[in-house]
Amino acid sequence: MFLPITLTIPDQQTPRNIMGVDLGMRFLAVSYDSYGVTRFFNGKEVIQKRAQYQALRTSLQKRGTRSARKRLNAIGHRENRWMRDLNHQVAKALVNQCKQPTLIVLEDLTGIRETTERVRKSRRYVQVSWAFHQLRQLIEYKARLNGHTVVLIDPAYTSQACPICGQVRKANRKKTRHEYVCANCGYQSNDDRIAAMNIRQRGYMTVLESISGKPDMEGSSQRSHDVPSASNRGTKGRRHPKGESTMTTAGQGQASSVRAR
């Protein structure tokens, strides 16, 4: 199920901190670590700005003049610089939250267009064509520069599997409300957070396999922490101990911390 990788773990020990990172558009990144801390990097402003760029491009393309083509080229360069700068900010913030040597687990986004949620053609440019590969490369570069290890895992079913009981069921994910509700054990949380939890778990299992050759189901003893879903509805499912959740808007500075109850 997992992609073939090679890991070098100092002293053949599992890293104390393992952080799973889910990349997307509604949230550019959602991270979940070994201490139950979840951080969200809001992509709402990104979607709005990309929509503005698209509208401007469409207007200039309709003109078809020489000056319009020159401006289109200039806008393309400007948008690319903006995207790269924002990806730098997100990658830096993700790596800086690791206060000790950390295993950062990312999805292998090869074929991202096939795994991204289907959207209307008119919205495809805004929601699908973000530079995910560039963001992943920046995270890898900054992580290794700071002494962390990066591993890539297969993204299949990370948004459909329950991190508590392991049930895989597409209907558990409520896309319109951005919630995940397990029909088996009742666990409920934000769907992007669920993906980050599963990504972290797969990274953990991959490390154990590289060390001992035998997978270990850490999920059976994992203490999980719930946070409000994107729709801010109350948790109806299984109750879990308090955890820390942080919301960061892309391009902003320090994020505020919220204790989930």
Side-chain angles (χ1 to χ4, degrees):
M1 184 176 183
F2 303 130
L3 297 176
I5 58 170
T6 301
L7 279 178
T8 301
I9 306 298
D11 302 324
Q12 292 295 294
Q13 294 179 354
T14 305
R16 289 182 59 191
N17 187 31
I18 302 177
M19 182 173 73
V21 180
D22 177 58
L23 304 180
M25 277 306 303
R26 188 171 58 93
F27 293 114
L28 294 182
V30 178
S31 66
Y32 180 84
D33 64 22
S34 298
Y35 304 100
V37 177
T38 307
R39 288 184 174 86
F40 297 83
F41 295 82
N42 203 326
K44 183 178 179 180
E45 293 181 6
V46 172
I47 294 176
Q48 293 174 345
K49 189 161 186 175
R50 298 217 75 201
Q52 293 172 2
Y53 272 117
Q54 184 189 32
L56 185 55
R57 284 174 180 274
T58 301
S59 176
L60 291 172
Q61 287 169 349
K62 286 181 179 179
R63 294 183 190 178
T65 63
R66 183 177 178 181
S67 61
R69 288 193 294 270
K70 288 182 64 176
R71 193 177 177 197
L72 268 171
N73 186 55
I75 288 173
H77 289 301
R78 186 192 312 163
E79 184 178 13
N80 287 337
R81 289 194 300 270
W82 166 71
M83 289 172 65
R84 184 171 181 82
D85 179 66
L86 188 56
N87 278 336
H88 264 293
Q89 293 181 48
V90 174
K92 182 179 180 180
L94 278 169
V95 173
N96 284 350
Q97 74 186 48
C98 303
K99 303 305 181 184
Q100 58 179 295
T102 299
L103 175 69
I104 299 177
V105 189
L106 301 170
E107 293 175 305
D108 188 318
L109 297 177
T110 302
I112 182 63
R113 292 180 182 275
E114 298 175 5
T115 58
T116 305
E117 295 179 30
R118 289 189 176 87
V119 295
R120 294 194 306 272
K121 186 176 181 179
S122 61
R123 300 290 296 170
R124 197 167 296 161
Y125 168 80
V126 176
Q127 296 187 25
V128 178
S129 59
W130 186 253
F132 289 109
H133 181 67
Q134 180 189 82
L135 176 55
R136 194 194 82 185
Q137 287 183 318
L138 290 170
I139 294 173
E140 290 180 354
Y141 169 73
K142 293 179 185 294
R144 288 170 179 145
L145 197 64
N146 287 273
H148 307 301
T149 303
V150 176
V151 62
L152 304 180
I153 58 95
D154 187 341
Y157 307 111
T158 53
S159 296
Q160 298 178 23
C162 177
I164 305 303
C165 69
Q167 183 193 63
V168 178
R169 189 165 182 261
K170 187 176 181 179
N172 285 347
R173 186 184 183 190
K174 317 298 181 182
K175 293 182 180 180
T176 57
R177 300 200 301 267
H178 303 295
E179 288 181 341
Y180 182 94
V181 182
C182 181
N184 183 49
C185 70
Y187 185 73
Q188 176 177 348
S189 188
N190 173 276
D191 57 352
D192 294 312
R193 177 176 179 268
I194 290 291
M197 293 172 72
N198 285 323
I199 291 169
R200 178 198 168 276
Q201 172 71 0
R202 289 192 187 180
Y204 175 86
M205 293 177 66
T206 301
V207 171
L208 292 183
E209 289 177 0
S210 71
I211 295 174
S212 64
K214 298 178 180 180
D216 179 24
M217 295 303 294
E218 187 208 29
S220 60
S221 61
Q222 176 178 315
R223 291 172 62 84
S224 300
H225 311 274
D226 203 11
V227 296
S229 66
S231 61
N232 293 323
R233 300 181 62 180
T235 299
K236 297 180 181 179
R238 190 170 163 184
R239 302 293 295 180
H240 293 276
K242 298 177 182 179
E244 182 177 343
S245 172
T246 301
M247 175 75 77
T248 302
T249 299
Q252 291 184 349
Q254 294 293 327
S256 59
S257 297
V258 179
R259 288 288 179 181
R261 298 182 183 276

